[in-house]
Amino acid sequence: MAVRDIVLLGDPVLREPAREVETFDEELQTLVDDMFATMVVAEGAGLAAPQVGVSLRVLVADVRHSEGEHARAALVNPRVVENGSELDKEPEGCLSIPGVREVVERPWSVVVEGTDPAGEPVRIEAEGLWARVLQHEIDHLNGVLFIDHLSPLKRRMLLKRYRKLRSEEDAGS
Ligand code: NI
């Protein structure tokens, strides 16, 4: 298992729709293992393959609910097949846009279908934070970032904050 570099906002791979996985081999399992390791080190709740520079429809997610409930999945070719009617607003961040968070509105529940890394069908009925993380990561597979869900004004303000953070970091290193 290896920790991979996470690509940041501005890298074109984050804006490309990722390719469908067609081969369920050892290379895919290695990618999934590396993505879990990378996510843990980065202290994220989810990670999509494009975030490690691999344009494939693969995500990992690991969510600990406050009630101690635990949800973990590696999904291949996942898609949202059903959106709940109830909407939910919560702050969201992204490992590819570190240091900034903003409230994003999304369906509170979704049904996701895909396969596991062995190619076996998976269906997940997710709610709350678990549903939010899965939607965020599936967005990544379509070249969509959480900032795309914000109003133009909120997005401009967030990007301004982000650029300021990055330039302070550059100046400090
Ligand atoms: Ni993200």
Side-chain angles (χ1 to χ4, degrees), residues 6 37-46 95:
I6 295 177
T38 305
M39 180 179 67
V40 168
V41 167
E43 297 182 348
L95 294 176

Side-chain angles (χ1 to χ4, degrees), residues 14 46-48 51 92-97 106 133 136-137 139-140 144-146:
L14 292 176
L47 189 69
Q51 293 184 275
E92 217 168 285
C94 180
L95 294 176
S96 293
I97 318 174
R106 296 183 184 274
V133 170
H136 177 116
E137 302 312 330
D139 271 356
H140 271 300
V144 173
L145 302 172
F146 83 94

Side-chain angles (χ1 to χ4, degrees), residues 76-167:
V76 178
N77 301 330
R79 61 190 198 286
V80 174
V81 295
E82 227 178 285
N83 283 307
S85 54
E86 195 182 327
L87 295 175
D88 184 35
K89 286 183 181 178
E90 288 292 339
E92 217 168 285
C94 180
L95 294 176
S96 293
I97 318 174
V100 289
R101 294 171 72 76
E102 190 51 78
V103 171
V104 177
E105 185 175 74
R106 296 183 184 274
W108 180 74
S109 63
V110 286
V111 180
V112 171
E113 288 182 357
T115 77
D116 69 11
E120 294 300 318
V122 175
R123 179 182 165 92
I124 297 176
E125 294 176 17
E127 297 174 345
L129 178 61
W130 183 223
R132 177 171 295 275
V133 170
L134 292 177
Q135 291 175 79
H136 177 116
E137 302 312 330
I138 290 172
D139 271 356
H140 271 300
L141 306 181
N142 297 321
V144 173
L145 302 172
F146 83 94
I147 57 175
D148 301 337
H149 293 280
L150 305 177
S151 70
L153 177 65
K154 282 242 170 91
R155 183 164 55 239
R156 262 204 311 280
M157 284 165 53
L158 179 138
L159 289 174
K160 203 173 157 189
R161 274 197 331 266
Y162 177 66
R163 277 192 290 266
K164 187 158 180 282
L165 267 177
R166 302 299 305 167
S167 64

